[in-house]
Amino acid sequence: MLYVPVITPFGADGAVAWPALEALAHDLLTGGATGLVALGTTAEPASLTPGERRDVLDLLAAVCREHQAPLIVGANDPDQLRVLADRPAVRAALSLVPPFLRPGEEGVIAHLQDLAARSPVPLIVYHVPYRTAQPLTAAALHRLAATPAITGIKFAPGVIDPEVVAFLADPPADFTVLAGDDVLLSPLLALGAHGGILASAHLATSSYAALITAWQAGDLAVARPLGHRLAALSAALFAEPNPTVIKAVLHAEGRIPTPDVRLPLLPASTRTLERALGVREFATT
């Protein structure tokens, strides 16, 4: 399964480019994505107004309903979770391990279990320790997986270390592990991940979907070389802060009206864009 955390395109006037967002969402679902993620970090949600966040959610929910595709929504507190009730397209909330505070494993578990108890939809934990500064052991991840209302994890460990191997070597039953490190997608799939939530899949969506299918089918002749090529593409797309390079490439391809991002992000450099376009051509041939 492949979920794409959708960017928020902006027009020349700085406003959200709604037609481009709708067209992009349709393209991703027809291109091979299982579903979409609304208001993930790739969408720059902190820079959006409350009204913009509401309208992004409504638009992506409508597109997912049309395609009968699931929608995951970034939501990190009870107020953000509350608005997800009575929205049939929304299948889960993507909730980040608390960043910066470093509350320890017990604090993380208590916080996410409390959120899950309050949420109208199941939770997918977003674990990205190199951004949150809060590592979790395999034992802690298994405790979260045992919580009935927590049904999956966006797993972005940053490295393949013994805790990662231990967690994936003993996968929790009825629990979905979605790779969140785009560059590490192929090795995480090889270790047992079920799919991914991948910003890189704005580009070459069908290729990322094919890579997931190949690993699940045990087709190593396809999975290994394709995984190497797509890892190079993901590395190029994350050479500057996400989603700046992805937006630059989408704009260069005529899919969004500008490459603009909102502060504190700055647009990707021309050099990084040119490299990404070259790697994209190599990765998809």
Side-chain angles (χ1 to χ4, degrees):
M1 57 188 75
L2 170 63
Y3 290 87
V4 183
V6 186
I7 59 111
T8 305
F10 301 120
D13 61 355
V16 176
W18 300 108
L21 177 59
E22 183 174 9
L24 182 62
H26 283 293
D27 286 348
L28 295 171
L29 291 172
T30 57
T34 306
L36 304 177
V37 179
L39 302 176
T41 52
T42 302
E44 303 171 71
S47 74
L48 302 179
T49 67
E52 288 171 334
R53 291 195 294 271
R54 180 196 62 234
D55 292 345
V56 166
L57 175 56
D58 287 342
L59 187 154
L60 294 181
V63 172
C64 284
R65 284 197 305 272
E66 183 175 338
H67 288 263
Q68 298 184 319
L71 179 66
I72 299 170
V73 181
N76 297 304
D77 62 47
D79 288 338
Q80 293 175 354
L81 289 165
R82 195 173 298 116
V83 303
L84 305 183
D86 302 318
R87 292 177 180 269
V90 178
R91 305 292 177 83
L94 182 64
S95 298
L96 186 64
V97 169
F100 186 75
L101 293 174
R102 302 184 68 184
E105 289 190 342
E106 294 299 328
V108 169
I109 291 168
H111 168 73
L112 291 170
Q113 289 179 335
D114 180 68
L115 276 186
R118 297 166 179 253
S119 178
V121 296
L123 253 58
I124 296 173
V125 172
Y126 184 8
H127 180 41
V128 53
Y130 54 90
R131 292 182 184 269
T132 65
Q134 177 59 69
L136 296 174
T137 62
L141 294 174
H142 275 93
R143 288 175 61 191
L144 287 170
T147 303
I150 297 177
T151 59
I153 185 170
K154 180 181 178 181
F155 195 42
V159 295
I160 305 295
D161 63 14
E163 293 294 337
V164 172
V165 174
F167 176 60
L168 291 173
D170 182 22
D174 301 318
F175 188 76
T176 302
V177 178
L178 298 170
D181 274 314
D182 295 34
V183 172
L184 295 181
L185 173 61
S186 200
L188 288 171
L189 290 169
L191 286 169
H194 302 100
I197 296 178
L198 306 169
S200 300
H202 281 87
L203 293 309
T205 311
S206 62
S207 296
Y208 283 96
L211 177 61
I212 292 168
T213 298
W215 275 114
Q216 290 175 338
D219 188 351
L220 302 186
V222 171
R224 284 176 172 162
L226 181 57
H228 290 311
R229 294 199 304 273
L230 292 180
L233 174 58
S234 292
L237 294 175
F238 278 80
E240 295 185 29
N242 185 51
T244 61
V245 184
I246 291 170
K247 280 190 161 185
V249 174
L250 289 172
H251 175 250
E253 294 183 346
R255 298 173 67 188
I256 59 175
T258 75
D260 295 351
V261 289
R262 289 180 178 173
L263 291 171
L265 295 174
L266 295 173
S269 67
T270 300
R271 180 178 179 180
T272 300
L273 168 61
E274 290 174 349
R275 171 166 172 73
L277 289 170
V279 175
R280 187 204 193 298
E281 184 176 357
F282 163 75
T284 55
T285 55

